[in-house]
């Protein structure tokens, strides 16, 4: 391994949490808790900052048929978080849905995934104990233009609500979700 000469968002507050390669070959990297999404079209040799107005980005990134999605995070109590969409390579953004988990702890959009033309997005909060976990799962059947909340789809074996941290399609139409606080995997 060697460090890239051009480092996007190389400041103490812009932690690298997730990168995504889009269907067009662009690499996306959000500078956490800022409004900056960095884009590289040359495999990380150079980066361009794209501004997501009013955002405090976290880690979820998705490229669904050319539409890019990214979501917010907040440490403020009772924060309303936006899920943002760009149809033009990150030049302009629209907030397509919001969530407020009504918690005193940090909250964040955690994952966005496309499964057979359907999009799923999860939002959750940081928990002190398993019984303090809150989350919502959202679904979009129109490419992310509109979203419907499924609420919390699974109650864990320890009594806490399960927060979906990451999802993946394992075969057509079948999704696995890795959950916390007790490492449950749901299908």
């Amino acid at each position: 391994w060697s460090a890239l000469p051009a480092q996007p968002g190389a400041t103490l507050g812009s932690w690298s949490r997730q990168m995504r390669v889009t269907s067009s070959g662009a690499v996306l990297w959000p500078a956490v808790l800022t409004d900056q999404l960095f884009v590289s079209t040359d495999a990380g040799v150079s980066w361009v900052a794209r501004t997501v107005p009013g955002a405090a980005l976290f880690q979820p990134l998705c490229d669904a048929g050319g539409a890019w999605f990214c979501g917010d995070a907040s440490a403020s109590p009772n924060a309303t978080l936006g899920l943002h969409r760009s149809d033009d390579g990150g030049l302009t953004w629209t907030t397509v849905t919001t969530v407020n988990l009504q918690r005193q702890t940090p909250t964040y959009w955690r994952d966005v995934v496309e499964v057979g033309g359907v999009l799923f997005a999860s939002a959750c909060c940081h928990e002190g104990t398993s019984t303090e976990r809150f989350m919502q799962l959202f679904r979009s059947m129109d490419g992310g233009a509109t979203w419907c909340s499924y609420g919390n789809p699974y109650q864990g074996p320890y009594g806490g609500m399960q927060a979906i941290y990451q999802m993946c399609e394992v075969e057509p139409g079948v999704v696995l979700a890795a959950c916390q606080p007790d490492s449950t995997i749901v299908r």
Side-chain angles (χ1 to χ4, degrees):
W1 296 89
S2 60
L4 294 175
Q7 293 289 322
T11 65
L12 288 177
S14 59
W15 317 301
S16 176
R17 297 288 260 177
Q18 186 178 47
M19 290 185 287
R20 176 82 60 211
V21 178
T22 69
S23 56
S24 66
V27 180
L28 307 181
W29 182 86
V32 173
L33 300 180
T34 75
D35 63 359
Q36 299 294 292
L37 177 72
F38 291 91
V39 180
S40 176
T41 57
D42 55 13
V45 174
S46 62
W47 298 86
V48 176
R50 300 282 191 236
T51 300
V52 184
L57 300 177
F58 193 52
Q59 73 178 38
L61 292 170
C62 182
D63 172 33
W68 297 354
F69 294 88
C70 57
D72 288 338
S74 179
S76 298
N78 300 314
T80 298
L81 308 174
L83 182 63
H84 313 284
R85 173 189 169 138
S86 175
D87 292 315
D88 59 8
L91 296 174
T92 60
W93 293 87
T94 303
T95 302
V96 290
T97 194
T98 60
V99 66
N100 185 328
L101 297 175
Q102 300 177 351
R103 305 307 302 153
Q104 299 298 311
T105 58
T107 54
Y108 30 80
W109 285 99
R110 192 66 199 198
D111 197 16
V112 182
V113 66
E114 182 182 22
V115 179
V118 177
L119 291 167
F120 292 98
S122 63
C124 62
C125 71
H126 176 79
E127 84 286 355
T129 69
S130 65
T131 58
E132 294 174 1
R133 174 62 76 182
F134 285 77
M135 69 88 56
Q136 283 191 42
L137 180 67
F138 290 78
R139 181 192 73 182
S140 174
M141 298 188 63
D142 59 8
T146 60
W147 293 82
C148 174
S149 175
Y150 276 8
N152 180 59
Y154 182 77
Q155 190 78 14
Y158 302 106
M161 301 173 89
Q162 295 298 285
I164 294 175
Y165 270 31
Q166 189 171 21
M167 297 172 279
C168 64
E169 185 177 28
V170 293
E171 58 186 60
V174 177
V175 178
L176 293 185
C179 302
Q180 287 297 332
D182 51 21
S183 301
T184 304
I185 298 174
V186 296
R187 179 181 167 115

